[in-house]
């Protein structure tokens, strides 16, 4: 077998491996089902593959749940990153209903994984809030469309929080979770072996039943490989360039509040560009600020915070929560993977039929991750059609 062809994107990759770190003579390991990425979706894929009778190994460039899976706000909000009636216009009625059902199934799965464990999770509901009169009209139309499809949401024509919003949709079945704890528990439930701190730099499939994956510690020979690398997929294979766009999201959190009851739900407004909740230890978390800084936050895998976005978050804290006196104690960023049409991608790499992928969650991994992971495993093992998630729709 010849030397591997280096396949990573040249656009500022953080996953390159030097010849000093690995010279292609690393120990060879034969594995059955290899998952690349130990985040929320990677651990869900590991779980479903194990349920299908596979022996699962996960390789991860860092460690379990250290990427975007634990750098988000921990929202379990049902649906996509667009309002329901807009989704119908864009994807069609049947597809929209299917995706909302997939989201509900995903949340039910997270709840089963968390049940009887120490994972902190609550069914606090959510409020989709309008920042303008125009958004209020959109929310009313969305609520009507959801109610017509049997979704028991409540439309508020005024601001239920009394903080200057224009209207709201209340989804009482939604919830909040401590996302790091959830992924750790999911990994434990999967029973998979983990190889951590192990960067991937090449993938080859030269035989029908074997995929060779070159990583810093090992050369894996696997029957099946599933890429669960989301935003970092552009550093794995050129196929993903233009199909998955790395996009930075930023948050801040205050010190514990004297009165943590000021917000007892998950808030989501400005068409999803702003979001906020209280944490399980009583802090106020605010995320967003990307709308005002899209060029800065677009097409990057640098997970450092930036002053322009953090200034937006600080201003939002002062404007919407003037009663919060506690200082900001932590700021962070995570990298999401967006797709051109707003839907996740499930498929196999061109020329590598045993290399599947489940990527491009558009900031909604907690909303769709388990359902997408289950379909991806079924596709790779049984050649099942992933339906609306089929990546070939972008070809």
């Amino acid at each position: 077998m010849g030397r591997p062809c280096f396949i990573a994107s040249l656009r500022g990759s953080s996953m390159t491996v030097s010849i000093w770190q690995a010279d292609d003579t690393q120990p060879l390991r034969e594995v059955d089902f290899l998952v690349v990425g130990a985040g929320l979706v990677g651990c869900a894929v590991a779980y479903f593959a194990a349920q299908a009778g596979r022996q699962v190994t996960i390789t991860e460039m860092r460690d379990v749940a250290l990427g975007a899976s634990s750098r988000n706000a921990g929202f379990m909000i049902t649906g996509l990153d667009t309002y329901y009636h807009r989704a119908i216009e864009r994807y069609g009625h049947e597809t929209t209903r299917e995706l909302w059902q997939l989201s509900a199934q995903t949340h039910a799965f997270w709840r089963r994984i968390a049940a009887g464990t120490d994972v902190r999770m609550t069914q606090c509901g959510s409020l989709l809030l309008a920042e303008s009169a125009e958004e209020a009209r959109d929310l009313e139309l969305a609520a009507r469309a959801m109610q017509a499809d049997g979704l028991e949401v409540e439309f508020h024509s005024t601001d239920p929080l009394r903080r200057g919003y224009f209207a709201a949709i209340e989804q009482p079945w939604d919830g909040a979770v401590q996302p790091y704890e959830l992924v750790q528990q999911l990994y434990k439930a999967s029973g998979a072996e983990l190889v951590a701190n192990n960067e991937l730099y090449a993938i080859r499939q030269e035989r029908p039943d074997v995929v060779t994956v070159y990583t810093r510690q090992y050369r894996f020979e696997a029957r099946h490989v599933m890429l669960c690398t989301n935003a970092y997929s552009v550093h794995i294979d050129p196929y993903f360039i233009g199909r998955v766009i790395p996009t930075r999201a930023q948050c801040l959190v205050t010190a514990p509040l004297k009165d943590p009851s000021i917000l007892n739900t998950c808030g989501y407004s400005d068409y999803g560009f702003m979001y906020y909740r209280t944490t399980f230890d009583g802090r106020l978390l605010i995320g967003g600020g990307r709308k005002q800084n899209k060029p800065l936050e677009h097409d990057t895998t640098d997970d450092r915070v930036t002053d322009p976005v953090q200034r937006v978050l600080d201003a939002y804290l002062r404007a919407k929560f003037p009663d919060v006196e506690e200082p900001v104690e932590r700021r962070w960023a995570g990298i999401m993977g967006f797709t051109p049409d707003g839907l996740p991608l499930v498929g196999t790499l061109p020329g590598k039929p045993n290399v599947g992928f489940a990527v491009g969650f558009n900031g909604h991994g907690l909303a769709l991750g388990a359902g997408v992971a289950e379909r991806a495993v079924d596709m790779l093992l049984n050649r099942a059609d992933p339906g609306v998630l089929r990546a070939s729709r972008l070809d």
Side-chain angles (χ1 to χ4, degrees), residues 36 203-205 210-213 223-227 236-237 240 347-357 379-380 383:
V36 180
I203 302 175
R204 294 180 73 171
Q205 182 171 357
V210 177
V211 178
T212 305
V213 178
R223 291 183 177 89
H224 296 91
V225 176
M226 185 74 78
L227 303 178
I236 299 287
D237 193 283
F240 295 111
T348 57
L349 286 182
K352 302 179 180 74
N354 286 31
V355 181
F357 54 83
M379 174 215 64
L380 189 59
R383 301 306 176 193

Side-chain angles (χ1 to χ4, degrees), residues 174-238:
D174 286 341
V177 66
Q178 211 281 24
Y180 180 77
E181 294 174 354
L182 176 64
V183 183
Q184 290 285 341
Q185 182 60 36
L186 181 56
Y187 162 66
K188 181 179 178 182
S190 77
E193 175 194 11
L194 174 69
V195 181
N197 190 29
N198 190 38
E199 301 90 331
L200 180 157
Y201 65 94
I203 302 175
R204 294 180 73 171
Q205 182 171 357
E206 296 180 329
R207 290 182 281 166
D209 58 345
V210 177
V211 178
T212 305
V213 178
Y214 293 81
T215 68
R216 186 173 54 78
Q217 296 183 46
Y218 299 104
R219 291 171 295 150
F220 292 102
E221 287 192 344
R223 291 183 177 89
H224 296 91
V225 176
M226 185 74 78
L227 303 178
C228 301
T229 43
N230 207 30
Y232 298 92
S233 301
V234 295
H235 300 323
I236 299 287
D237 193 283

Side-chain angles (χ1 to χ4, degrees), residues 283-297:
R283 305 168 186 269
L284 178 63
L285 182 155
I286 299 178
R290 180 169 55 90
K291 178 181 177 181
Q292 297 87 341
N293 297 279
K294 286 183 179 179
L296 181 64
E297 303 302 287

Side-chain angles (χ1 to χ4, degrees), residues 125-136:
S126 70
L127 288 173
L128 313 183
L129 293 147
E131 300 265 8
S132 65
E134 178 184 2
E135 189 174 13

Side-chain angles (χ1 to χ4, degrees), residues 8-9 60 87 112 163 195 245 252 259 263:
S9 162
E60 162 62 46
R112 290 198 300 273
R163 292 185 176 275
V195 181
I245 298 91
L252 63 73
D259 180 15
L263 185 63

Side-chain angles (χ1 to χ4, degrees), residues 75 77 80-83 126-130 135 266-276 364:
F75 281 16
I77 293 184
L80 305 174
D81 71 338
T82 188
Y83 292 144
S126 70
L127 288 173
L128 313 183
L129 293 147
E135 189 174 13
C266 294
Y268 182 88
S269 62
D270 197 10
Y271 297 92
F273 282 102
M274 297 301 303
Y275 43 96
Y276 25 88
H364 279 58

Side-chain angles (χ1 to χ4, degrees), residues 35 37-49 56 58 64-65 109-110 182-192 194 228 373:
V35 179
L40 182 71
V41 174
C43 290
V45 162
Y47 178 92
F48 290 118
V56 183
I58 305 174
V64 176
F109 177 76
W110 303 146
L182 176 64
V183 183
Q184 290 285 341
Q185 182 60 36
L186 181 56
Y187 162 66
K188 181 179 178 182
S190 77
L194 174 69
C228 301

